[in-house]
Amino acid sequence: MQAINFKQLAEMAPLGKLRDGSAAQINERTLTITLDTGQHKYEVDLERCNTPGQVLDWIFQVFSKRWATPELMYDFLEALNVACHRFHGTSVQGCLCSFGANKRVKWSK
């Protein structure tokens, strides 16, 4: 497997869409992001991602796993961003912390 950097990853997917082969999938019906390593599947509940602190907690929860590669972390962050675009019409930053403000979002099906 060849290593790629974050810039290369970002160029692989247009804004608002997960890259082909992404380890993260968004389930709009259950409001979850599933991370798939090929050996492990890990679900992140978007209804527990309502504040900047909750999102940061999930990021570091996933980051602490031995199977959380840099590519998987990128896919997770991109999935969070795509989910915000789909449900709220703006990025994670726009939803939760634009200009440093602590905001709260409500995910709905």
Side-chain angles (χ1 to χ4, degrees):
M1 176 178 9
Q2 180 184 8
I4 57 177
N5 63 38
F6 286 112
K7 182 177 187 281
Q8 291 167 313
L9 277 169
E11 291 169 351
M12 294 169 73
L15 185 63
K17 183 174 184 273
L18 297 175
R19 72 179 180 88
D20 290 339
S22 176
Q25 296 301 315
I26 301 165
N27 186 324
E28 293 184 27
R29 186 179 55 77
T30 61
L31 297 174
T32 57
I33 294 173
T34 301
L35 304 173
D36 188 351
T37 69
Q39 294 180 348
H40 301 91
K41 286 192 179 184
Y42 195 80
E43 264 190 9
V44 175
D45 184 355
L46 289 172
E47 292 178 296
R48 294 179 60 200
C49 292
N50 299 313
T51 67
Q54 288 174 328
V55 171
L56 189 62
D57 183 60
W58 274 110
I59 290 167
F60 278 93
Q61 175 70 22
V62 172
F63 179 75
S64 70
K65 304 297 183 193
R66 292 183 157 229
W67 43 259
T69 63
E71 291 84 7
L72 182 129
M73 290 304 300
Y74 176 87
D75 290 344
F76 177 39
L77 294 173
E78 186 64 22
L80 284 168
N81 207 43
V82 169
C84 281
H85 276 283
R86 287 184 189 172
F87 285 93
H88 304 292
T90 189
S91 66
V92 171
Q93 185 179 9
C95 282
L96 293 169
C97 58
S98 58
F99 299 101
N102 286 321
K103 297 180 178 181
R104 175 177 280 277
V105 296
K106 175 108 172 111
W107 299 91
S108 58
K109 298 175 185 172

